[in-house]
């Protein structure tokens, strides 16, 4: 299952006809009296009302479905496809409008923000095109089987929009211009995500039978099944490759600084990635410290990169926000192409605690995995930007918000090290960035150890350390089956600013151990809870949360799909 298969732009006659007849201002459309409609669903046809009832921006939903909604025989598939296609057109319009941002640019930092926005909107268009294609190529009765993929891709669109706006934050004019340009697209993306998330209910309203309950049960059963059987689609050669200890492998490319390989830099090895490559592309990076900035592009899919060990094969850089570089572009290593796997490697950002945002590793690669890797930095070390990601047997270090982003992420059996921050700073392990309540994203830390660095240890009680703080409105983080050292603050979690997101966040703890796991004095926020029922936590294990039974085995990483105890 590879998303890129669907990334051709699909023209559907009925949707195209609708798009040509509907105006683009769907968010602020008013009734003939000049006032906004009080209940847009009251005047909508039954098919449209059924589809739009779960959305947060109902007027925009009704308007976006336009003339297609007047067809009483319209199917859920046609309506869902129309909603996503309309969203695609709005994102394309926002990209066109991004040229207006040039007027608000006041310096190199602003120019970088505009460049980031344009890249992010191109990524968003890719996700939406893939979603439209997936809906069109799915049989009506099998559409709910694609719900997880569609939610994953649409959530990435939400994240790309927000990342663009965040990047413009320091320039008020730039931020306002981009926010206005993206308003329609952001609300329509939220609607599309809500509609897809409600597909079983929508199909029931249309009296179309689906077997989604069985599919959900299958995922939960997989969460309790920890046998590491390779999936049927994985070739015998790939099974041997991923299960090996690297000895005797024949990689496609070898990188070595001493000239003993085909390439001296990782970037050069990636540049040799064959066009239309089939199967895995394997890169062996020999021991050495590679001072370069690496991006595995969206066209470079199924890259498997391995080194001689996380302390021997190291990719390092020092870009930072303090040096005028955007958070996104500060990453030493960025994985974008679907299916990226890294093994036995280290990723660093050495900007230090005064560098502010300084990313060592950024991943937006769907179905990506990192195992036996080190990811070292200070503030914003690991940027889990979008999509499904799995980390196993890794070391991750940092200070402020050092595991952050809006992907669906599970970090399993890893060591999380909290370092010495700048003077006056407090440490926060996570800062999850979910902005829409329908997103299936969050950070899950399972069976890990959270400990202080040696330099922090003598002052671990004077310098406060928290498990996380809510970066965005619906921030989601779960710490489970992990060992928390004594330096974790009794309150556990830290506010972002005032009461922001305290009622809407989703913070949970389950079956943790160690002196820092005592929950007696934890925060009393509405969005925080200690879970005691294993059935309540199962949906956030690797099987259901990442659809891990479908792909994690294929990465070669050891894993547990369910609970460890």
């Amino acid at each position: 299952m590879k998303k890129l298969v669907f990334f051709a732009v699909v023209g559907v006659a009925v949707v195209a006809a609708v798009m040509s007849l509907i105006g683009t201002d769907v968010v602020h459309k008013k009734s003939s009296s000049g006032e906004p409609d009080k209940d847009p669903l009251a005047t909508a046809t039954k098919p449209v009302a059924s589809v739009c009832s779960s959305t947060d921006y109902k007027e925009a939903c009704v308007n976006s479905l336009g003339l297609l909604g007047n067809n009483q025989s319209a199917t859920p598939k046609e309506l869902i496809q129309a909603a996503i296609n309309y969203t695609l057109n709005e994102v394309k319009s926002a990209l066109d409008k991004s040229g207006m941002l040039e007027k608000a640019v006041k310096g190199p930092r602003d120019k970088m923000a505009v460049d980031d926005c344009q890249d992010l909107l191109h990524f968003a268009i890719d996700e939406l095109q893939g979603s439209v294609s997936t809906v069109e190529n799915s049989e009506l009765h099998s559409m709910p089987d694609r719900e997880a993929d569609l939610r994953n891709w649409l959530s990435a669109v939400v994240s790309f929009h927000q990342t663009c706006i965040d990047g413009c934050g320091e320039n008020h004019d730039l931020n306002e211009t981009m926010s206005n340009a993206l308003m329609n697209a952001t609300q329509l993306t939220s609607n599309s995500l809500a509609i897809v998330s409600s597909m079983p209910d929508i199909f029931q309203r249309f009296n179309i039978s689906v077997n989604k309950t069985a599919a959900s049960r299958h995922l939960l059963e997989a969460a309790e099944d920890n046998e590491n059987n390779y999936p049927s689609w994985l070739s015998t050669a790939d099974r041997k490759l991923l299960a090996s200890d690297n000895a005797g492998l024949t990689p496609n490319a070898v990188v070595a600084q001493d000239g003993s390989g085909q390439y001296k830099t990782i970037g050069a090895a990636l540049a040799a990635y064959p066009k239309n490559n089939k199967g895995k592309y394997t890169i062996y990076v020999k021991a050495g410290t590679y001072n370069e900035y690496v991006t595995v592009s969206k066209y470079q899919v199924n890259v498997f990169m391995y080194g001689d060990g996380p302390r021997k094969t190291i990719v390092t850089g020092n870009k930072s926000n303090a040096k005028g570089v955007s958070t996104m572009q500060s990453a030493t290593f960025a994985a974008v192409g679907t299916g990226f796997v890294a093994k036995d490697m280290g990723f660093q950002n050495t900007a230090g605690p005064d560098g502010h945002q300084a990313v060592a590793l950024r991943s937006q690669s769907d179905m990506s995995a990192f195992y036996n890797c080190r990811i070292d930095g200070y503030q914003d070390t690991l940027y889990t930007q979008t999509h499904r990601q799995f980390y196993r047997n890794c070391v991750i270090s940092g200070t402020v918000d050092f595991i952050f982003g809006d992907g669906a992420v599970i970090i399993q059996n890893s060591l999380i090290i909290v370092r010495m921050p700048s003077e006056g700073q407090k440490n926060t392990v996570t800062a999850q960035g979910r902005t829409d309540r329908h997103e299936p994203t969050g950070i899950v830390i399972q069976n890990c150890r959270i400990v202080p660095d040696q330099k922090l240890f003598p002052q671990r009680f004077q310098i406060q350390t928290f498990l996380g703080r809510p970066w965005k409105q619906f921030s989601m983080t779960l710490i489970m089956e992990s060992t928390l050292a004594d330096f974790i603050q009794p309150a556990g979690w830290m506010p972002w600013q005032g009461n922001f997101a305290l009622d809407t966040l989703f913070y949970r703890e389950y079956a943790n151990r160690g002196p820092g796991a005592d929950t007696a004095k934890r925060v009393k926020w509405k969005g925080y809870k200690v879970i005691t029922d294993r059935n309540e936590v199962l949906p956030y294990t690797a099987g259901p949360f990442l659809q891990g039974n479908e792909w994690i085995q294929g990465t070669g990483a050891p894993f547990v799909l369910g609970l460890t105890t």
Side-chain angles (χ1 to χ4, degrees):
M1 179 186 63
K2 295 292 180 284
K3 179 174 61 178
L4 291 181
V5 173
F6 303 113
F7 272 10
V9 181
V10 178
V12 182
V14 64
V15 178
V18 172
M19 295 305 119
S20 66
L21 293 171
I22 309 173
T24 58
D25 187 8
V26 299
V27 177
H28 299 295
K29 186 174 180 180
K30 297 179 182 294
S31 66
S32 57
S33 64
E35 296 297 324
D37 292 333
K38 293 182 179 180
D39 183 7
L41 300 185
T43 56
T45 61
K46 184 177 179 180
V48 170
S50 296
V51 169
C52 293
S53 61
S54 62
T55 63
D56 292 340
Y57 306 98
K58 291 179 174 56
E59 184 179 4
C61 182
V62 171
N63 291 338
S64 67
L65 294 178
L67 296 181
L68 183 60
N70 293 329
N71 181 359
Q72 291 285 354
S73 63
T75 68
K77 175 178 174 177
E78 290 171 334
L79 292 165
I80 292 169
Q81 188 173 345
I84 298 174
N85 212 347
Y86 202 100
T87 305
L88 171 61
N89 288 348
E90 282 297 322
V91 175
K92 288 180 177 178
S93 175
L95 179 60
D96 291 339
K97 294 175 183 176
S98 67
M100 298 186 302
L101 292 173
E102 301 291 346
K103 300 176 182 178
V105 170
K106 297 178 180 178
R109 191 186 292 265
D110 289 350
K111 179 61 168 61
M112 189 173 294
V114 172
D115 291 342
D116 284 349
C117 277
Q118 292 175 339
D119 286 343
L120 290 161
L121 293 181
H122 279 295
F123 288 137
I125 288 169
D126 287 345
E127 304 286 345
L128 290 164
Q129 287 175 340
S131 298
V132 170
S133 299
T134 297
V135 174
E136 198 213 9
N137 289 311
S138 298
E139 295 295 331
L140 180 62
H141 292 274
S142 66
M143 275 188 59
D145 292 336
R146 304 313 303 270
E147 178 186 332
D149 287 336
L150 290 167
R151 292 181 70 200
N152 170 49
W153 302 335
L154 291 170
S155 294
V157 177
V158 172
S159 178
F160 292 144
H161 292 176
Q162 188 60 51
T163 302
C164 167
I165 294 169
D166 287 346
C168 299
E170 296 182 9
N171 180 327
H172 178 268
D173 292 339
L174 198 61
N175 185 285
E176 185 175 29
T177 301
M178 197 66 241
S179 296
N180 290 337
L182 275 173
M183 182 180 295
N184 281 8
T186 298
Q187 294 189 6
L188 289 168
T189 304
S190 173
N191 284 348
S192 294
L193 181 56
I195 291 167
V196 167
S197 301
S198 302
M199 273 202 290
D201 293 336
I202 291 171
F203 275 58
Q204 187 175 20
R205 295 184 199 121
F206 279 77
N207 295 317
I208 299 173
S209 61
V210 295
N211 198 21
K212 189 62 181 175
T213 302
S216 299
R217 184 170 61 248
H218 174 70
L219 283 172
L220 287 173
E221 287 171 351
E224 296 283 38
D225 178 10
N226 297 328
E227 293 184 8
N228 295 352
N229 295 316
Y230 285 109
S232 59
W233 50 261
L234 194 67
S235 70
T236 301
D238 278 350
R239 294 182 200 205
K240 291 180 179 178
L241 171 74
L242 295 169
S244 74
D245 60 1
N246 302 338
L249 291 183
T250 305
N252 299 97
V254 177
V255 181
Q257 291 176 325
D258 62 7
S260 61
Q262 297 147 287
Y263 308 98
K264 290 188 175 182
T265 66
I266 300 170
L270 283 168
Y273 181 94
K275 187 176 182 180
N276 301 319
N277 181 65
K278 304 294 184 183
K280 287 196 179 296
Y281 186 74
T282 305
I283 300 175
Y284 168 37
V285 186
K286 289 188 176 183
T289 299
Y290 295 83
N291 196 336
E292 58 177 305
Y293 296 94
V294 178
T295 297
V296 181
S297 79
K298 67 181 181 181
Y299 304 107
Q300 295 163 336
V301 302
N302 295 326
V303 172
F304 173 47
M305 188 178 296
Y306 69 95
D308 285 325
R311 290 186 178 275
K312 294 180 178 179
T313 299
I314 300 169
V315 190
T316 188
N318 61 6
K319 290 183 179 180
S320 70
N321 197 255
K323 295 179 179 178
V325 180
S326 68
T327 301
M328 185 170 151
Q329 293 193 34
S330 71
T332 301
F333 193 102
V336 178
T338 298
F340 177 78
V341 178
K343 178 182 179 183
D344 298 331
M345 294 187 65
F347 307 95
Q348 294 180 350
N349 190 311
T350 61
D354 295 326
H356 304 297
Q357 293 91 340
V359 177
L361 171 65
R362 175 174 72 88
S363 180
Q364 68 180 69
S365 170
D366 194 16
M367 297 179 287
S368 58
F370 300 81
Y371 62 111
N372 196 30
C373 289
R374 283 193 69 101
I375 308 159
D376 293 315
Y378 288 86
Q379 183 171 345
D380 290 5
T381 302
L382 173 58
Y383 189 179
T384 59
Q385 188 171 12
T386 57
H387 295 126
R388 293 164 287 199
Q389 306 179 26
F390 183 70
Y391 298 78
R392 172 82 181 209
N393 298 352
C394 290
V395 176
I396 306 167
S397 72
T399 55
V400 178
D401 305 338
F402 64 95
I403 302 172
F404 77 110
D406 193 25
V409 178
I410 289 186
I411 302 170
Q412 199 175 86
N413 289 42
S414 294
L415 180 63
I416 297 173
I417 301 174
V418 183
R419 306 177 80 173
M420 179 72 76
S422 291
E423 186 175 353
Q425 285 185 328
K426 298 176 182 178
N427 286 320
T428 43
V429 176
T430 65
Q432 204 278 330
R434 189 170 64 149
T435 60
D436 190 290
R437 63 190 178 93
H438 301 288
E439 290 183 80
T441 60
I443 296 170
V444 178
I445 295 175
Q446 181 184 20
N447 200 35
C448 294
R449 288 192 297 138
I450 303 178
V451 301
D453 180 70
Q454 288 184 351
K455 291 184 179 179
L456 176 63
F457 187 83
Q459 300 183 56
R460 68 191 187 282
F461 298 127
Q462 288 74 43
I463 297 173
Q464 295 183 340
T465 295
F466 298 86
L467 296 173
R469 59 176 181 162
W471 181 29
K472 299 298 180 184
Q473 189 75 42
F474 297 95
S475 182
M476 185 279 187
T477 303
L478 193 157
I479 315 290
M480 63 181 183
E481 301 181 306
S482 294
T483 300
L484 312 183
D486 60 3
F487 72 132
I488 299 298
Q489 285 292 301
W493 307 83
M494 176 181 169
W496 185 269
Q497 185 174 14
N499 293 322
F500 171 74
L502 302 188
D503 290 346
T504 53
L505 58 78
F506 183 97
Y507 282 172
R508 299 290 187 268
E509 294 183 58
Y510 171 78
N512 294 314
R513 50 196 175 265
D518 185 354
T519 59
K521 297 182 180 179
R522 287 295 196 252
V523 293
K524 306 300 181 184
W525 304 338
K526 182 178 179 181
Y528 170 77
K529 181 182 178 181
V530 178
I531 299 177
T532 56
D533 182 352
R534 66 184 286 114
N535 291 322
E536 189 176 343
V537 79
L538 271 178
Y540 305 101
T541 55
F545 193 60
L546 301 181
Q547 297 79 57
N549 59 310
E550 299 177 8
W551 64 274
I552 292 179
Q553 181 70 64
T555 69
F559 65 93
V560 173
L561 287 178
L563 295 170
T564 61
T565 56

